[in-house]
Amino acid sequence: MAEAWTGAGRLDPGRLRRVVVKVGTSILTHPGGRLHFGRMEALVRQLADLHGEGREVILVTSGAVGAGMGRMGLTSRPRTLVEKQALAAVGQGLLMQHYEKLFAEYGLVVAQVLLTREDLEDPRRRESARETLAVLLGWRTVPIVNENDTVTAEEIRVGDNDTLSARVAALVGADLLVILSDVDGLYPRDPRTCPGQEPVPVVTELGPDLWRGAGGAGTPVGTGGMRTKLQAAAICMAAGIPMVLTSGHRPGVLAAIGRGEVPGTLFLPRPRAVPAR
Ligand code: GLU
């Protein structure tokens, strides 16, 4: 199989047939947790254009807990897991209601896919999830994936949507994973404590220095941080899938990626990795 990236740290637009896009809570919600409709609209319009270019698009979305917080009038993430699970039950429906409405404006059908870690690890359930996603893509719908937070206890969770999106990309043999975050790429050191650095354009090796620089957890509403992005990159690299980490605040970011540009950091699979498909 020819590769979806070129030697110059660019992507080959003609080879990006199946694209997984992950968007985090910090992009989708206001600091207090309410859904940010302007950003959701901009995201959906760009996804609709990628789809209109003939690509298959899967969206991995966070924001269920955040939207639940907003709906319940909470301003900070609750501490107990069971409260987060309950908030996800409130927020997931709201999230889908908005996606359904926004994608429908472009004539697109969405399909909610809620996964647990077991669905991705147990061979029979994994195959079933893979087949269902294949049918949904064949029907030209836009599968919208999240973890099934409401029913997943701590020890059986994927836990963060960066890792979830990489596992989904590997499951469906995607040509690219795009992680839309509130940072515009991977920095050598935590940019919140060491300003004035440029993001690394291309990463081909996840050495100990990168993990050390990745720091800890993310924002008050999200669960990620750089560590889970690197974990996602490790999964993609092992599966032979390129991954772009970039800012979801950058206007037209997905259109640029559709043209083969990489506005952020491109993580490339190890040269001898076996392609996932
Ligand atoms: N599944 C969680 C949610 O929808 C988000 C997990 C994450 O942000 O990584 O709120």
Side-chain angles (χ1 to χ4, degrees), residues 22 24-25 61-66 77 92 95 146-147 149 157 159-162 221-224:
K22 182 262 171 179
T25 303
T61 187
S62 302
V65 175
R77 235 178 144 78
Q92 179 65 29
L95 202 57
N146 197 357
E147 184 158 16
D149 293 315
R157 315 184 71 214
D160 72 274
N161 278 8
D162 295 322
V221 286
T223 47

Side-chain angles (χ1 to χ4, degrees), residues 118-132 167-168 170-172:
E118 286 171 312
D119 296 324
L120 295 159
E121 289 180 355
D122 175 77
R124 284 234 306 268
R125 290 168 71 159
R126 198 180 144 81
E127 189 50 23
S128 155
R130 205 185 58 76
E131 282 176 0
T132 308
R167 288 184 177 209
V168 168
L171 178 72
V172 301

Side-chain angles (χ1 to χ4, degrees), residues 8-141:
R10 279 180 61 88
L11 296 161
D12 180 348
R15 297 199 186 280
L16 303 178
R17 283 160 304 202
R18 183 171 285 184
V19 180
V20 177
V21 176
K22 182 262 171 179
V23 60
T25 303
S26 57
I27 301 296
L28 292 171
T29 60
H30 292 284
R34 286 180 196 283
L35 290 172
H36 196 304
F37 300 121
R39 295 207 200 116
M40 285 183 84
E41 266 173 45
L43 169 73
V44 169
R45 191 174 333 117
Q46 292 187 72
L47 290 169
D49 278 333
L50 283 184
H51 187 275
E53 287 163 1
R55 305 180 209 282
E56 295 172 335
V57 176
I58 296 178
L59 173 63
V60 177
T61 187
S62 302
V65 175
M69 280 167 52
R71 189 75 173 87
M72 297 304 291
L74 307 180
T75 49
S76 62
R77 235 178 144 78
R79 249 183 255 139
T80 67
L81 178 67
V82 67
E83 283 173 292
K84 285 180 213 157
Q85 291 179 282
L87 284 176
V90 174
Q92 179 65 29
L94 281 173
L95 202 57
M96 285 310 294
Q97 181 193 358
H98 290 293
Y99 280 127
E100 160 63 35
K101 198 176 82 192
L102 293 170
F103 276 102
E105 280 182 32
Y106 303 99
L108 297 180
V109 176
V110 298
Q112 172 178 263
V113 180
L114 297 179
L115 296 173
T116 63
R117 200 169 84 189
E118 286 171 312
D119 296 324
L120 295 159
E121 289 180 355
D122 175 77
R124 284 234 306 268
R125 290 168 71 159
R126 198 180 144 81
E127 189 50 23
S128 155
R130 205 185 58 76
E131 282 176 0
T132 308
L133 282 164
V135 170
L136 290 169
L137 291 172
W139 287 347
R140 298 291 289 146
T141 71

